[in-house]
């Protein structure tokens, strides 16, 4: 095109500019004609009878506003989740008064846009009903041009109690029940959350409180335009294997005032690509699709998961012209990567494989499950997201599953995942329940799904869509005591919602990634069985969720040798510094009302102690606070060791088929993060502090890892490698006495070739023979460490350990009396530890000083160890030295 800037600056100077691109898109530099008026900021808020009235921030929610204005305490403090139940049973109205210019009111079209409203609301502008909203996960817009006036405009958004609304919807559904009616009593939650399209866990979960929120949780604004408005731009890469050619499918979701013929020019300068399309934009909202064929001679840079390559992107410019006037101008990032979910026969095994191939390469998924980072989404700041996601990458994770009982995360979440190489398994927001299938419910779900797929599908980090969490399993294994005669009704509803609607929409909208109907599922086998398999936990197919709190978690034979472990885990308590701000002195014992109240999983506190007691002496201090803190510590030790053992089992099972099972290609433990300060399965506490488990994950998710275990009294050590090249490795085993620092003896294996992307045995010896060769060792007196070395004797991967007996039976284990010296080093601090004895699970804690240690929870078998501490706020040697506590296993009894 040969247009000159001054022509179109005077005319339709970027009539179109979109505020709903998310962070994938940039903005044009010229914005004269299209006008956007933000309605974010300070609104007023009142309850149904006007007895409570206060200022409220938008975006925000009722609970946040009440807390910020001093009407309530911290909702997370002690028992406030119960004290503040009344909030969710009232109706609340948000009101703002604003003025708009005559120029804005003169536009051909003016839209009032709500990016997110939680959840059931009516909208009035200047006393006129504008519309209704009933889905937290939808974007709503209403045409308001003729309702706006000169001077003050009054906008009211009135929210109904989500609890009472859900109950009314349940009451109206009289033909048959849609279980579960209510959560278990231990969760202290509200009922019928499956009847309202909002965050399912907001009515309570087994790791979180009941805070059924209300409010304008995303942006509110006016969009005014004469020509058109770009709602969304998206792009997905598609690869033709037979032609070895990339094509880019670009979609423009446009709201046009009238039908118009125009030219759309798409250019990717770095790929030396530009193409112009003649097209007709129809009046109203339309989706316009363009296919770009990338020249096969161009070497396209591919997006790779963390640990497998870089995460490059290209800038694509989108411009629209009508009669040589620029009417559309924006930029967006585009990425190239392929993803395949491979489900095919395996030699020597019944069933099918289940693994992801990224850019043609099989990738083992290492990571965790993501839950909402706060009960009040307005408090999930960019800093919170960056800290949690960086923590995942720093623990060598490459994947997170966004769990289906929370929210579709904000744009920034996925953009950070794109940048860091975190693959996202994205659930749709349905969890642990049956759902109604009346037309109104189906229609709002259809719009929800379409909008979310359009918003998110440009992100390369998302590698799979999944229809729901555990609903196939709930039906198949009869969680809800459904009679045999009624079962066909529920299966029909299940297929209607997830297959005939959600699956169909996703497959129409997105051809670039796979779709699973549920998790766990048998995948294509479930499909062949009518979408609900007889046993969705069949380890020969699909993915598996597995929990057992009674069996000994050190016994690897209790774990399922599954194709893909998408949920597994154990609870622990957060550290004292995390609990202290939301509790008082009388709460600081394991038997207090507070510790019981905070536990939302039936028998959870007892299960932790019973599991810990299998291998550890339980804390027995006569000083109450020390005993409480030691108990918190022992739950974290138990959790870290349990999840370590299970994850290492999955990683070493990737190359083997044993008794028809194996080829495990994913380990996503439950769960990464916390929603509040409470016991849970998380590896990161509320506030960002790493539990012992997360420090362990740095090692057990390492790219190269030695895994040791016993099978029939024989020690086996596997080398696990995620690398894309072969390694020559030997195993070095060092035997230590519990009673003395310094090794008793060292054994080395021959060099073994370990292929990239595999796990194979590199060391095998009967334990009795190994100990006999060391002279003075027995199972009770000695322990093992081991690592891998290359031919140059350079260590590859972390050092690992194996206890030959339970530590509570270890002979010679002494109190180590560890001392510490803190030194400042550049922007960090170093802590040099000195120990008088072997010390397992050495835990450093600096209280409420936020930050992270380079290593923690480690086994100390040398006299001196130095670790670093990176603070997240200014501190000093004096403050750190005063705050530092050191706990090892022998210090708690």
């Amino acid at each position: 095109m040969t247009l000159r800037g001054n022509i179109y600056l005077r005319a339709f100077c970027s009539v179109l500019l979109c505020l709903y691109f998310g962070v994938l898109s940039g903005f044009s530099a010229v914005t004269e004609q299209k006008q956007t008026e933000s309605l974010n900021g300070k609104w007023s808020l009142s309850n149904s009878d006007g007895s409570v009235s206060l200022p409220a921030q938008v975006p925000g929610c009722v609970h946040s506003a009440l807390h910020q204005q001093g009407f309530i305490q911290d909702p997370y403090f002690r028992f406030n989740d119960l004290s503040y139940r009344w909030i969710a049973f009232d109706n609340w109205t948000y009101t703002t008064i604003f003025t708009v210019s005559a120029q804005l009111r003169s536009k051909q079209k003016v839209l009032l846009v709500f990016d997110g409203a939680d959840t059931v609301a009516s909208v009035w502008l200047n006393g006129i009903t504008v519309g209704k909203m009933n889905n937290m996960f939808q974007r709503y817009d209403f045409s308001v041009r003729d309702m706006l006036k000169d001077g003050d405009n009054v906008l009211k958004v009135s929210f109904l109690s989500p609890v009472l609304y859900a109950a009314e919807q349940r009451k109206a559904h009289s033909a048959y029940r849609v279980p579960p009616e209510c959560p278990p009593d231990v969760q202290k939650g509200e009922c019928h959350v499956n009847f309202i399209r909002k965050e399912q866990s907001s009515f309570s979960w087994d790791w979180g409180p009941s805070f059924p929120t209300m409010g304008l949780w995303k942006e509110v604004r006016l969009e005014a335009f004469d020509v058109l408005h770009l709602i969304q731009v998206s792009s997905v890469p598609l690869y033709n294997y037979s032609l070895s050619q990339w094509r880019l499918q670009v979609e423009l979701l446009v709201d046009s005032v009238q039908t118009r013929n125009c030219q759309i020019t798409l250019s990717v300068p770095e790929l030396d690509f530009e193409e112009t399309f003649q097209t007709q934009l129809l009046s109203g909202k339309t989706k316009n699709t363009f296919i770009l064929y990338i020249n096969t001679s161009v070497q396209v840079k591919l997006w790779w998961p963390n640990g497998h390559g870089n995460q490059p992107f290209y800038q694509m410019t989108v411009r629209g012209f009508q009669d040589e006037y620029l009417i559309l101008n924006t930029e967006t990032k585009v990425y190239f990567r392929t993803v395949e979910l491979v489900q095919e026969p395996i030699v020597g095994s019944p069933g099918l494989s289940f693994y992801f191939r990224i850019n043609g390469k099989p990738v083992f998924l290492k990571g965790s499950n993501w839950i909402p980072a706060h009960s009040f989404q307005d408090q999930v700041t960019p800093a919170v997201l960056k800290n949690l996601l960086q923590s995942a990458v720093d623990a060598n994770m490459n994947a997170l599953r966004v769990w289906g009982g929370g929210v579709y995360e904000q744009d920034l979440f996925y953009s950070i995942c794109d940048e860091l190489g975190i693959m996202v398994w994205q659930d749709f927001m349905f969890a642990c329940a049956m759902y109604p299938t009346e037309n109104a419910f189906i229609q709002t779900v259809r719009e929800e799904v379409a909008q979310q797929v359009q918003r998110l599908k440009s992100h390369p980090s998302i590698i799979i869509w999944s229809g729901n969490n555990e609903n196939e399993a709930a039906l198949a294994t009869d969680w809800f005591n459904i009679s045999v005669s009624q079962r066909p009704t529920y299966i029909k509803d299940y297929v209607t919602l997830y297959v005939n609607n959600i699956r169909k929409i996703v497959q129409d909208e997105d051809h670039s990634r796979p779709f699973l109907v549920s998790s766990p599922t048998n995948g294509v086998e479930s499909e062949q069985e009518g979408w609900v398999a007889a046993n969705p936990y069949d380890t020969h197919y699909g993915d598996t969720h597995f929990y057992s709190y009674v069996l000994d978690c050190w016994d690897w034979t209790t774990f399922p040798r599954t194709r893909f472990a998408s949920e597994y885990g154990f609870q622990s308590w957060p550290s004292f510094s995390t609990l202290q701000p939301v509790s008082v002195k009388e709460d600081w014992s394991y038997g207090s009302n507070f510790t019981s109240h905070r536990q939302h999983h039936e028998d959870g506190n007892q299960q932790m102690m019973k599991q810990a007691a299998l291998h550890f002496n339980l804390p027995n201090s006569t000083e109450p606070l020390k005993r409480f803190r030691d108990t918190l510590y022992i739950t974290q030790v138990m959790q870290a060791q349990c999840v370590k053992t299970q994850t290492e089992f999955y990683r070493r099972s990737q190359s083997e088929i044993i008794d028809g099972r194996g080829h495990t290609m994913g380990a996503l433990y439950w769960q990464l993060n916390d929603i509040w300060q409470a016991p849970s399965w998380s590896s990161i506490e509320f506030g960002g502090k790493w539990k012992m488990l997360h420090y362990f994950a740095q090692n057990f998710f390492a790219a190269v890892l030695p895994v040791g275990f016993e099978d029939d009294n024989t020690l086996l050590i596997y080398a696990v490698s995620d690398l894309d090249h072969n390694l020559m490795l030997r195993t070095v085993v060092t035997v230590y006495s519990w009673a003395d620092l310094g090794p008793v003896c060292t054994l080395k294996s021959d060099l073994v070739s370990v292929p990239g992307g595999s796990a194979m045995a590199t060391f095998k010896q009967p334990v009795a023979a190994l100990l006999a060769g060391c002279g003075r060792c027995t199972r009770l007196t000695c322990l093992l460490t081991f690592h891998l070395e290359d031919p140059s004797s350079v260590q590859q991967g972390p050092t690992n350990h194996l206890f030959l007996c339970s530590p509570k039976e270890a002979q010679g284990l002494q109190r180590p009396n560890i001392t510490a010296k803190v030194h400042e080093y550049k922007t960090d601090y170093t802590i040099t530890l000195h120990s008088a004895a072997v010390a397992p699970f050495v835990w450093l804690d600096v209280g409420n000083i936020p930050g992270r240690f380079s290593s923690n929870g480690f086994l100390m078998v040398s006299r001196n160890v130095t670790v670093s501490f990176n603070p997240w706020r200014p501190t000093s040697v004096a403050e750190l030295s005063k705050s530092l506590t050191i706990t090892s296993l022998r210090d708690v009894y």
Side-chain angles (χ1 to χ4, degrees):
M1 311 302 290
T2 56
L3 289 175
R4 293 292 177 264
N6 59 348
I7 296 175
Y8 57 81
L9 275 170
R10 283 198 306 271
F12 290 94
C13 217
S14 186
V15 173
L16 162 67
L17 200 55
C18 174
L19 281 184
Y20 193 64
F21 287 156
V23 289
L24 281 177
S25 302
F27 300 96
S28 164
V30 282
T31 59
E32 278 190 348
Q33 291 299 310
K34 173 169 177 285
Q35 283 186 252
T36 297
E37 183 85 21
S38 173
L39 298 179
N40 295 343
K42 188 176 284 189
W43 291 44
S44 62
L45 176 65
S46 60
N47 67 339
S48 55
D49 65 3
S51 60
V52 180
S53 184
L54 63 152
Q57 204 63 29
V58 171
C61 73
V62 172
H63 289 81
S64 291
L66 289 169
H67 182 217
Q68 287 158 5
Q69 295 299 321
F71 280 77
I72 61 173
Q73 290 179 305
D74 179 356
Y76 283 175
F77 185 70
R78 298 195 79 208
F79 308 96
N80 281 347
D81 53 320
L82 296 186
S83 303
Y84 300 149
R85 276 187 73 192
W86 62 270
I87 296 168
F89 281 80
D90 208 342
N91 301 329
W92 295 85
T93 298
Y94 280 80
T95 305
T96 188
I97 299 172
F98 62 94
T99 58
V100 289
S101 65
Q103 185 185 20
L104 184 143
R105 285 185 285 116
S106 70
K107 296 293 179 190
Q108 292 292 310
K109 199 163 188 177
V110 182
L111 297 176
L112 172 60
V113 181
F114 296 89
D115 280 343
D118 178 14
T119 291
V120 183
S122 300
V123 182
W124 286 276
L125 179 59
N126 296 325
I128 303 167
T129 301
V130 171
K132 294 181 181 297
M133 303 181 282
N134 65 0
N135 190 321
M136 179 181 183
F137 309 123
Q138 263 191 54
R139 172 185 178 275
Y140 290 87
D141 60 47
F142 304 102
S143 183
V144 296
R145 179 180 183 267
D146 296 337
M147 301 176 198
L148 292 169
K149 62 184 185 181
D150 191 19
D152 287 347
N153 290 269
V154 179
L155 175 61
K156 287 181 181 286
V157 184
S158 292
F159 288 93
L160 294 178
S161 157
V163 179
L164 298 180
Y165 172 85
E168 288 166 7
Q169 295 300 302
R170 160 64 184 92
K171 193 175 178 182
H173 191 287
S174 56
Y176 55 93
R177 68 189 181 100
V178 184
E181 298 283 353
C182 298
D185 291 344
V186 69
Q187 291 182 20
K188 307 161 190 74
E190 306 299 349
C191 300
H192 313 302
V193 71
N194 46 342
F195 279 89
I196 182 171
R197 288 311 296 147
K198 79 188 261 62
E199 178 187 332
Q200 299 291 276
S201 59
S202 68
F203 276 39
S204 81
W205 216 262
D206 57 6
W207 37 253
S210 176
F211 284 114
T213 44
M214 285 165 280
L216 298 166
W217 72 295
K218 292 191 175 185
E219 293 190 353
V220 184
R221 65 185 173 276
L222 293 170
E223 299 275 11
F225 50 97
D226 284 323
V227 181
L228 53 75
H229 163 50
L230 181 59
I231 301 168
Q232 183 78 48
V233 60
S234 60
S235 62
V236 293
L238 302 167
Y239 189 71
N240 186 318
Y241 286 90
S242 60
L243 298 176
S244 299
Q245 184 175 34
W246 285 99
R247 64 191 192 278
L248 204 59
Q249 182 176 302
V250 179
E251 286 180 0
L252 307 180
L253 187 60
V254 172
D255 189 347
S256 182
V257 171
Q258 62 187 55
T259 298
R260 65 188 72 252
N261 296 313
C262 65
Q263 296 174 320
I264 302 293
T265 298
L266 305 174
S267 59
V268 186
E270 203 177 338
L271 293 177
D272 196 26
F273 179 92
E274 181 169 299
E275 188 168 349
T276 298
F277 301 84
Q278 303 291 333
T279 191
Q280 185 178 65
L281 299 179
L282 299 176
S283 175
K285 284 183 189 174
T286 57
K287 186 170 70 176
N288 305 270
T289 304
F290 307 93
I291 305 293
L292 304 170
Y293 292 90
I294 307 300
N295 193 318
T296 54
S297 65
V298 174
Q299 186 69 38
V300 172
K301 293 181 291 188
L302 301 181
W303 182 95
W304 286 97
N306 177 39
H308 294 272
N310 297 322
Q311 296 77 41
F313 63 88
Y314 297 90
Q315 287 287 356
M316 180 176 67
T317 301
V318 182
R319 289 174 295 163
F321 298 91
Q322 182 186 10
D323 300 331
E324 297 194 339
Y325 294 119
L326 181 70
I327 60 168
L328 190 161
N329 187 19
T330 190
E331 279 191 343
T332 182
K333 289 180 180 178
V334 296
Y335 295 82
F336 292 88
R337 68 102 186 85
T338 63
V339 55
E340 304 159 86
L341 176 56
V342 182
Q343 300 180 77
E344 59 190 21
I346 300 174
V347 175
S349 174
L352 300 170
S353 65
F354 189 94
Y355 68 91
F356 291 91
R357 207 155 46 199
I358 308 295
N359 301 327
K361 176 184 176 181
V363 174
F364 188 105
L365 268 63
K366 306 180 298 185
S368 189
N369 285 262
W370 175 275
I371 66 164
H374 205 290
S375 290
F376 314 122
Q377 280 291 313
D378 54 288
Q379 297 184 41
V380 182
T381 63
V384 167
L385 289 180
K386 289 171 185 173
N387 182 286
L388 288 169
L389 294 173
Q390 188 64 53
S391 289
V393 166
D394 291 347
N396 292 308
M397 296 183 185
N398 62 22
L400 291 172
R401 173 171 170 254
V402 176
W403 168 77
V407 299
Y408 306 96
E409 284 296 331
Q410 55 187 274
D411 294 322
L412 181 60
F413 174 93
Y414 301 97
S415 293
I416 297 171
C417 289
D418 294 342
E419 293 164 13
L420 296 178
I422 299 173
M423 294 177 283
V424 173
W425 174 312
Q426 179 66 53
D427 280 1
F428 287 93
M429 295 300 124
F430 303 86
C432 300
M434 302 296 99
Y435 287 86
T437 54
E438 281 81 1
N439 184 58
F441 188 88
I442 291 292
Q443 290 310 313
T444 191
V445 167
R446 287 180 63 84
E447 184 62 25
E448 165 193 328
V449 170
Q451 285 188 18
Q452 293 297 339
V453 174
Q454 288 162 5
R455 177 174 74 97
L456 298 176
K457 65 184 176 182
S458 302
H459 291 280
S461 53
I462 299 175
I463 61 165
I464 188 168
W465 306 105
S466 179
N468 65 73
N469 172 76
E470 299 185 342
N471 295 350
E472 179 186 345
L475 256 181
T477 60
D478 197 21
W479 289 9
F480 306 124
N481 300 312
I482 295 168
S483 67
V484 174
S485 63
Q486 280 196 306
R487 184 175 162 82
T489 300
Y490 291 94
I491 291 178
K492 179 174 178 286
D493 283 355
Y494 182 90
V495 173
T496 295
L497 179 57
Y498 302 112
V499 181
N500 300 344
N501 284 284
I502 295 176
R503 177 175 180 263
K504 186 175 188 308
I505 291 168
V506 173
Q507 293 183 338
D508 287 346
E509 287 286 345
D510 181 11
H511 306 124
S512 71
R513 50 176 70 82
F515 175 86
L516 275 180
V517 173
S518 188
S519 174
T521 184
N522 292 348
V524 294
E525 173 62 23
S526 287
E527 183 175 343
Q528 289 167 7
E529 293 182 41
W531 304 103
V532 178
N535 174 22
Y537 296 100
D538 189 335
T539 53
H540 298 103
Y541 302 95
D543 67 317
T544 301
H545 297 187
F546 177 80
Y547 297 94
S548 172
Y549 310 112
V550 177
L551 299 173
D552 180 358
C553 78
W554 288 27
D555 180 2
W556 59 268
T557 65
T558 66
F559 306 137
R561 199 181 289 271
T562 176
R563 304 291 192 223
F564 193 105
S566 49
E567 276 194 32
Y568 60 96
F570 296 84
Q571 280 199 323
S572 71
W573 274 84
S575 55
F576 183 70
S577 62
T578 295
L579 292 171
Q580 194 172 7
V582 293
S583 58
V584 297
K585 188 175 180 180
E586 71 183 72
D587 301 330
W588 301 337
S589 72
Y590 204 66
S592 70
N593 289 336
F594 174 79
T595 54
S596 174
H597 173 77
R598 222 66 174 184
Q599 174 59 267
H600 283 197
H601 168 61
E602 194 71 53
D603 294 326
N605 289 346
Q606 294 72 30
Q607 287 170 352
M608 281 185 269
M609 288 296 96
K610 287 176 181 175
Q611 185 64 238
L614 293 176
H615 298 287
F616 306 115
N617 288 305
L618 298 183
N620 62 1
S621 173
T622 56
E623 198 276 294
L625 181 57
K626 182 181 187 317
R627 185 166 181 167
F628 181 59
R629 295 177 70 139
D630 288 347
T631 303
L632 304 180
Y633 162 83
I634 207 71
T635 68
Q636 291 206 18
V637 170
M638 175 276 294
Q639 179 198 36
Q641 191 71 10
C642 287
V643 177
K644 171 185 186 290
T645 305
Q646 195 165 356
T647 305
E648 290 180 348
F649 168 73
Y650 294 137
R651 290 198 70 192
R652 68 174 166 87
S653 298
Q654 66 182 274
S655 303
E656 287 184 331
I657 294 291
I658 296 175
D659 297 329
R661 293 177 170 85
H663 276 206
T664 307
M665 284 297 287
L668 308 179
Y669 65 76
W670 186 270
Q671 68 208 61
L672 181 76
N673 56 313
D674 264 335
I675 198 168
W676 70 333
Q677 309 91 332
S680 81
W681 294 256
S682 75
S683 62
I684 303 176
E685 301 176 8
F686 182 81
K689 190 171 188 171
W690 285 19
K691 289 182 178 177
M692 194 178 294
L693 169 56
H694 209 79
Y695 285 102
F696 274 40
Q698 275 187 307
N699 288 335
F700 64 61
F701 280 145
V704 177
L705 175 71
V707 176
F709 63 101
E710 284 190 63
D711 191 8
D712 195 22
N713 292 313
T714 295
L715 171 66
L716 290 121
I717 296 174
Y718 278 43
V720 181
S721 172
D722 286 338
L723 304 181
D724 55 10
H725 57 273
N726 297 353
L727 293 173
M728 291 297 293
L729 297 172
R730 73 167 58 89
T731 303
V732 181
V733 180
T734 305
V735 182
Y736 289 89
S737 165
W738 284 111
D740 300 300
L741 287 164
V744 177
C745 68
T746 300
L747 300 86
K748 293 190 178 185
S749 73
D750 295 332
L751 285 165
V752 176
S753 177
V754 178
S758 76
M760 64 179 296
T762 57
F763 184 96
K764 182 177 182 180
Q765 188 172 349
V767 173
L770 185 154
L771 293 176
C774 269
R776 56 186 179 86
C777 268
T778 69
R779 282 184 172 275
L780 300 181
T781 61
C782 289
L783 66 151
L784 310 177
T785 69
F786 47 92
H787 64 269
L788 301 169
E789 287 181 355
D790 65 16
S792 303
S793 297
V794 175
Q795 181 169 335
Q796 300 293 316
T799 298
N800 209 336
H801 66 264
L802 187 69
F803 301 138
L804 301 176
C805 68
S806 295
K808 70 178 183 180
E809 297 165 350
Q811 294 176 0
L813 182 58
Q814 306 156 47
R815 288 220 172 138
N817 299 316
I818 298 172
T819 59
K821 289 272 191 195
V822 181
H823 299 279
E824 192 165 358
Y825 181 74
K826 297 181 180 176
T827 57
D828 288 355
Y829 294 83
T830 61
I831 301 167
T832 301
L833 305 176
H834 180 83
S835 179
V838 170
F841 306 106
V842 175
W843 183 247
L844 310 181
D845 194 308
V846 287
N848 60 11
I849 303 172
R852 188 191 303 167
F853 294 93
S854 57
S855 180
N856 212 347
F858 48 84
L859 172 67
M860 197 163 171
V861 289
S862 59
R863 202 165 294 280
N864 298 299
V865 169
T866 298
V867 299
S868 62
F869 178 74
N870 173 240
W872 299 339
R873 67 156 170 83
T875 184
S876 64
V877 169
E879 186 188 25
L880 282 173
S881 299
K882 183 180 178 183
S883 300
L884 179 65
T885 59
I886 304 165
T887 308
S888 75
L889 194 59
R890 189 61 187 83
D891 296 320
V892 304
Y893 64 93

